[in-house]
Amino acid sequence: MCTRADKASEGSAGGPVELCADGLQYYSDALRNRPTPDDCPRCLLDLGLVQRLPDGTLTPIPPQLAAGARMHTMERAIEEKKNALAAVRAAVAQAQEIYLDSYGKGESHLIRAVQGAGTISVTLSAAVHACQEELLTAQPGGGRPQELLDKALASDLEAIERGVSQRTIYQHTIRSHQATLAYVERITGAGGEVRTLDEVFDRLIVCDRRIAFIPDPGSERSDLALVVEHPGVVRYLAGIFEHAWQRAAPLHSFPGTRLPPLLTDEVRRTILRHMVNGHTDEAIATRLGMSTRSVANHMRWAAELFGSRSRAQLAYLIAKSGFLDDDVAH
């Protein structure tokens, strides 16, 4: 008879209960000794407003008496939850004091060095799982290894599913890297956004504009990262990301093995600009996330186009020709 069967099942498990229209009518009739249906609505039984006597008959109970035991149980459960929450807060506060004491003299409490690939990975993972609104990521270095992509995919998809806005900047060279493209396709399909640039400033992760992760620029090792929690510095880093995002090219399709002509030209100009500035092929390849062989191929193309016989002559001819002047417009 109860029209709130779903509520009845919740009530039997200790959840919220509402009285249905049939239940209210049954309770009113029982209090007035009027005839009642054989089946009592479940909501009355869950609230204890109607109870079964030893002889099997049902009798109405005053609301205050019926609710007393149930509300006492709920109030006790709420109090236990409050005590548990207070205990967690106290424990976190104690841990925070130890955390701040661990900084060395001269270190900011809002910028901390994290060393070791495993420690960095765990710290990053915890930050991403705690992210609630926005995740910004800059990933230089070209295509990423398959094992890293597989590890990141589940975490990133889970963040997007819980409503986190995710934007990522890669370098143009990932547009011909199949493993990274497959990852990007899954991310964008779930609602994330991905754009590419010829050259990304450096690796950067910003969570909810509250905490950021960057490499330590003063370290020669790749297993050292800085965790930044200073609000001003985090805003500054997010601003750098936004500036790069506006210049980046959206990645909407996943064509395969070749860069679009426009992006090929942009990559080529970037390579030649670095060459004119005195960088070696190895240094250019590292900055642009591509192989040294690819850089050499672009150099060979430029040498044939300008008819140069040496690297110094090529740099001179390119600078004189104005070939790189379009960079200003970009």
Side-chain angles (χ1 to χ4, degrees), residues 1 4 6 18 52 63 69 117 125 128 135-136 159 166-167 171 182 190 202 204 218 230 251 263 300 305:
M1 293 179 61
R4 298 294 185 97
D6 57 332
E18 294 180 12
R52 194 174 300 277
S125 179
V128 171
L135 179 62
L136 309 177
Q166 181 170 333
R167 288 184 288 161
Q171 291 179 263
D202 213 331
L204 170 66
H230 190 290
L251 179 55
L263 294 182
R300 189 177 302 110
L305 177 67

Side-chain angles (χ1 to χ4, degrees), residues 168-175 194-200 244-245 247-251 263 266:
T168 302
I169 299 175
Y170 286 104
Q171 291 179 263
H172 289 327
T173 47
I174 69 107
R175 291 175 178 257
V194 176
R195 295 185 180 184
T196 63
L197 272 175
D198 56 346
E199 187 174 355
V200 179
W245 181 261
R247 295 186 295 108
L251 179 55
L263 294 182
E266 186 174 348

Side-chain angles (χ1 to χ4, degrees), residues 282-300:
E282 291 78 9
I284 296 171
T286 299
R287 293 173 69 98
L288 301 187
M290 59 198 311
S291 68
T292 304
R293 180 178 179 181
S294 295
V295 173
N297 288 336
H298 285 287
M299 292 296 184
R300 189 177 302 110

Side-chain angles (χ1 to χ4, degrees), residues 58 75 89 168-169 190 198-199 220 291 306 311 314 322:
L58 297 172
E75 288 170 350
R89 284 175 173 164
T168 302
I169 299 175
D198 56 346
E199 187 174 355
E220 297 180 356
S291 68
F306 288 94
R311 194 179 186 90
L314 177 59

Side-chain angles (χ1 to χ4, degrees), residues 22-232:
D22 289 342
L24 291 171
Q25 185 60 53
Y26 185 103
Y27 189 63
S28 176
D29 291 341
L31 289 172
R32 290 172 172 78
N33 292 318
R34 296 172 184 167
T36 56
D38 293 335
D39 294 331
C40 175
R42 181 60 182 271
C43 56
L44 294 177
L45 298 173
D46 287 336
L47 282 170
L49 290 169
V50 173
Q51 296 186 14
R52 194 174 300 277
L53 300 178
D55 62 2
T57 60
L58 297 172
T59 184
I61 302 296
Q64 291 298 327
L65 295 178
R70 181 180 180 86
M71 288 194 296
H72 177 70
T73 300
M74 295 176 67
E75 288 170 350
R76 185 171 58 200
I78 292 172
E79 189 64 28
E80 290 176 354
K81 292 291 185 182
K82 287 182 177 179
N83 291 337
L85 178 59
V88 171
R89 284 175 173 164
V92 170
Q94 290 178 321
Q96 180 70 3
E97 291 182 7
I98 297 174
Y99 178 81
L100 296 178
D101 288 342
S102 68
Y103 286 94
K105 292 182 178 180
E107 287 187 286
S108 169
H109 288 181
L110 298 175
I111 300 178
R112 181 180 182 86
V114 178
Q115 185 172 341
T119 303
I120 294 173
S121 177
V122 170
T123 307
L124 272 173
S125 179
V128 171
H129 279 89
C131 196
Q132 297 297 319
E133 298 177 1
E134 182 185 57
L135 179 62
L136 309 177
T137 307
Q139 295 282 5
R144 303 172 69 192
Q146 185 68 59
E147 58 271 19
L148 292 181
L149 294 171
D150 292 341
K151 185 176 181 180
L153 182 62
S155 176
D156 291 345
L157 288 177
E158 193 274 334
I160 293 174
E161 288 172 1
R162 67 172 183 269
V164 176
S165 171
Q166 181 170 333
R167 288 184 288 161
T168 302
I169 299 175
Y170 286 104
Q171 291 179 263
H172 289 327
T173 47
I174 69 107
R175 291 175 178 257
S176 59
H177 188 263
Q178 288 303 306
T180 304
L181 286 178
Y183 162 83
V184 170
E185 188 169 13
R186 293 286 303 278
I187 292 298
T188 55
E193 296 181 79
V194 176
R195 295 185 180 184
T196 63
L197 272 175
D198 56 346
E199 187 174 355
V200 179
F201 41 91
D202 213 331
R203 193 173 306 278
L204 170 66
I205 297 174
V206 182
C207 300
D208 289 337
R209 307 208 175 202
R210 293 186 301 103
I211 184 170
F213 295 83
I214 59 174
D216 184 352
S219 174
E220 297 180 356
R221 297 172 298 183
S222 60
D223 63 344
L224 189 63
L226 297 180
V227 182
V228 181
E229 297 178 81
H230 190 290

